Amino acid sequence: MPETGAPRAQPRRPDLPDDRGRQRVVIEGISPEVDCGRFPVKRVVGDRVVVEADVFADGHDQLSVCLLYRRESDPLWCESPMEYLVNDRWRGEFSVPELGRYRYSVRGWVDHFKTWRHGMERWLEAGESVPVELQIGALLVAGAAARAEPADAQVLREYAERLRRGEAEVALDPVLAVLMDRHPDLEYAVTLDPGLTVVADPPRAQFSTWYEMFPRSTSADPARPGTFRDVEARLPYVASMGFDVLYLPPIHPIGATKRKGKNNAVVAEEGAPGSPWAIGGASGGHTTINPDLGTREDFQSLQAAARRHGIELALDVAFQASPDHPYVAEHREWFRVRPDGTVQYAENPPKRYEDIYPFNFDTPDWRALWDELAGIFDFWIGQGVRIFRVDNPHTKPFRFWAWLISDLKARHPDVILLSESFTRPKVMYQLAKLGFTQSYTYFAWRRAKWEIEQYFTELTTPPVSDFFRPNLWPNTPDILTEQLQYGTRATFQSRLVLAAT
């Protein structure tokens, strides 16, 4: 037992905080944001970004809140005041006039001048004499004068002197209020740090109408397959229907080994073209044009003609190879080799896709593989292409897409990437968050009014609508839903009406 009167041990208190202990404002509930700012919000050039946040403090002092924004490459912030809505909710907005990434944040502070002015309003309404309060106001105005540039400083000093002389009406002078707002005391302001990001994409990212066309199917002569020249001749037809994107499935050489036949036949008939997604042959791979379709000059001619009709070409990027692709011979390490020494082909048991070899993203040589695949985008961007439909991105690593898209969009902010992913919703959403500009959806399978309403409510409500842009295909070359096979006239009428909205 300790002796009577012995000092008791004092509990250890944490160190007192630094000057941030005098920061009284709380900022939370900011919108828009995606996963607490981990991923950028998406908008298109010319949009107004409307930002809201809950901003409050202890006690009854008045607050001021402003929105900070800048292009990511700019060192200095622009700012604009946020307006009070209700229940500590504030709103502001800024525009994104150019392509690229922007940063935005919210700053709030206890505004002692506004608090003083509000009190003065009440005192003067009551007819009270408040000489001490006028001296307090003079000190606040003099403090602003010390922060202001010379012209404003002189005017503020004059206002301070009038308050010292007891001119109470000066307290409510609107010019003084404007000057004080211009030179606030931000010593203990709170800023949301590090802020949030918004990406401004081309207008076609927000709304575009895609027409898919297989060049081989465009020939006017049944005795020969179509070419780029035949596609060019069909452009007026495509434009007349209001389409502004013409999507071409893979235009590369098609492998001959294990070539598929029509209607998914495992063995192709003599002369069958094979699947365009079985990319690569003796004449080249992903940066080569199938000679059956034309030359590079023909492709450039098609691009130029499409633009004259207000149409952009979209190319398919499928990261897979036929057994005849040069990669298979030159970089066997980029594929999975089975115990019997053969290369693993694609399969979805019990289906076998022996005309396609998937890349092995677990290869020890993954860095070289990533770099090579990124170079495919670089090549076609160099040919003037800015829109890509990416085949099955959900079967490639998320980190690969995060790395590739971040670099690609930093150098080419006008690029549009469509994620062709029919898989689990969270996976589709993750790909959109990582930077895919548009995404395939489950629209093709939605038939009843209630499920269409439910699905579109999900797609058009934040936070999903802040990062996921739906591209609503009614079908694809390998998906023909039951309602399109057996639906009545009403099925197609409803699809027509939805397409027109």
Side-chain angles (χ1 to χ4, degrees):
M1 294 290 292
E3 295 182 10
T4 303
R8 291 188 301 173
Q10 296 296 318
R12 168 102 175 124
R13 293 189 178 87
D15 293 335
L16 290 173
D18 56 25
D19 248 9
R20 285 175 296 179
R22 298 177 66 179
Q23 293 179 324
R24 296 165 49 197
V25 170
V26 175
I27 301 174
E28 61 184 23
I30 190 168
S31 68
E33 70 166 7
V34 179
D35 289 2
C36 299
R38 181 182 173 194
F39 301 105
V41 170
K42 292 177 182 172
R43 295 292 186 269
V44 298
V45 169
D47 274 353
R48 303 288 296 178
V49 182
V50 178
V51 180
E52 293 188 3
D54 297 327
V55 187
F56 54 92
D58 59 280
H60 303 287
D61 285 312
Q62 299 277 304
L63 302 186
S64 283
V65 182
C66 73
L67 175 63
L68 305 176
Y69 57 96
R70 60 178 172 86
R71 284 188 60 89
E72 193 170 63
S73 57
D74 293 341
L76 300 178
W77 292 95
C78 301
E79 60 180 75
S80 64
M82 298 182 74
E83 64 171 331
Y84 182 80
L85 299 177
V86 65
N87 194 24
D88 294 318
R89 193 70 173 167
W90 298 73
R91 176 186 291 161
E93 61 180 56
F94 66 100
S95 65
V96 285
E98 298 176 357
L99 291 170
R101 294 166 69 94
Y102 293 77
R103 300 286 293 169
Y104 62 99
S105 186
V106 173
R107 173 182 290 159
W109 63 96
V110 173
D111 194 318
H112 295 292
F113 177 78
K114 281 185 180 177
T115 304
W116 172 83
R117 190 177 190 274
H118 178 69
M120 287 296 297
E121 224 171 359
R122 305 289 292 275
W123 288 120
L124 295 176
E125 283 175 2
E128 295 286 340
S129 175
V130 283
V132 175
E133 281 71 15
L134 290 174
Q135 299 307 310
I136 293 171
L139 291 173
L140 293 172
V141 175
R147 295 187 294 271
E149 68 275 3
D152 283 355
Q154 178 60 35
V155 179
L156 285 165
R157 283 193 292 267
E158 291 170 4
Y159 274 115
E161 183 57 34
R162 292 174 65 186
L163 288 169
R164 292 190 192 99
R165 293 199 301 262
E167 296 181 28
E169 68 278 5
V170 172
L172 307 185
D173 189 318
V175 175
L176 175 59
V178 170
L179 289 171
M180 293 299 288
D181 279 344
R182 194 181 297 165
H183 306 289
D185 182 358
L186 301 178
E187 185 175 6
Y188 301 113
V190 173
T191 303
L192 185 73
D193 188 40
L196 302 167
T197 305
V198 58
V199 172
D201 288 315
R204 271 189 175 87
Q206 182 69 25
F207 180 80
S208 49
T209 50
W210 293 49
Y211 189 94
E212 181 172 5
M213 182 181 287
F214 286 78
R216 295 182 63 92
S217 302
T218 59
S219 173
D221 180 1
R224 67 167 180 83
T227 66
F228 290 145
R229 294 292 181 181
D230 295 303
V231 175
E232 193 170 324
R234 299 285 285 170
L235 289 173
Y237 164 72
V238 176
S240 72
M241 293 185 287
F243 290 95
D244 60 7
V245 175
L246 178 61
Y247 155 56
L248 304 180
I251 59 173
H252 317 297
I254 299 172
T257 301
K258 299 289 185 179
R259 179 175 284 188
K260 275 190 177 182
K262 64 181 180 180
N263 297 324
N264 212 28
V266 176
V267 179
E269 299 175 359
E270 183 69 27
S275 167
W277 283 273
I279 297 170
S283 57
H286 286 74
T287 57
T288 305
I289 290 174
N290 187 335
D292 292 343
L293 303 181
T295 64
R296 191 175 298 179
E297 290 71 27
D298 294 332
F299 178 76
Q300 293 294 346
S301 174
L302 172 59
Q303 262 199 121
R307 286 181 176 141
R308 288 195 296 272
H309 285 87
I311 296 171
E312 283 289 327
L313 291 190
L315 290 191
D316 194 287
V317 172
F319 285 151
Q320 57 201 30
S322 84
D324 306 314
H325 197 297
Y327 285 155
V328 179
E330 298 167 7
H331 295 283
R332 197 174 177 84
E333 69 278 7
W334 290 352
F335 303 89
R336 294 187 186 276
V337 179
R338 303 191 297 180
D340 63 357
T342 60
V343 176
Q344 176 67 60
Y345 49 76
E347 57 184 9
N348 183 14
K351 297 178 180 178
R352 293 183 173 89
Y353 305 97
E354 296 177 274
D355 59 336
I356 291 173
Y357 289 167
F359 289 111
N360 175 19
F361 281 85
D362 290 328
T363 174
D365 197 35
W366 62 271
R367 287 184 176 85
L369 174 62
W370 284 25
D371 192 56
E372 178 68 20
L373 298 182
I376 293 171
F377 280 106
D378 287 335
F379 175 83
W380 290 107
I381 290 172
Q383 300 301 306
V385 180
R386 288 297 183 272
I387 306 179
F388 299 91
R389 174 229 189 239
V390 181
D391 189 72
N392 283 338
H394 58 283
T395 61
K396 286 79 180 174
F398 293 135
R399 287 187 180 275
F400 167 70
W401 293 122
W403 168 81
L404 187 150
I405 296 175
S406 175
D407 172 67
L408 204 61
K409 294 288 282 184
R411 293 183 290 115
H412 306 286
D414 57 338
V415 164
I416 292 173
L417 302 171
L418 170 60
S419 167
E420 186 272 328
S421 177
F422 292 120
T423 184
R424 303 182 306 282
K426 288 183 173 60
V427 175
M428 293 167 67
Y429 285 172
Q430 181 70 12
L431 290 167
K433 292 173 183 178
L434 292 174
F436 277 95
T437 324
Q438 296 183 358
S439 304
Y440 272 46
T441 68
Y442 303 124
F443 170 69
W445 291 272
R446 298 297 193 259
R447 293 182 292 179
K449 175 185 175 181
W450 70 267
E451 60 184 352
I452 292 175
E453 286 183 341
Q454 183 184 70
Y455 192 43
F456 275 79
T457 299
E458 175 186 343
L459 295 179
T460 57
T461 303
V464 173
S465 60
D466 285 325
F467 65 83
F468 189 86
R469 293 198 187 102
N471 194 314
L472 306 171
W473 292 86
N475 68 307
T476 73
D478 57 350
I479 295 174
L480 189 61
T481 57
E482 184 179 0
Q483 69 266 26
L484 292 185
Q485 295 183 54
Y486 308 109
T488 64
R489 180 179 179 86
T491 298
F492 293 90
Q493 288 175 325
S494 68
R495 271 349 196 206
L496 174 63
V497 170
L498 288 171
T501 61

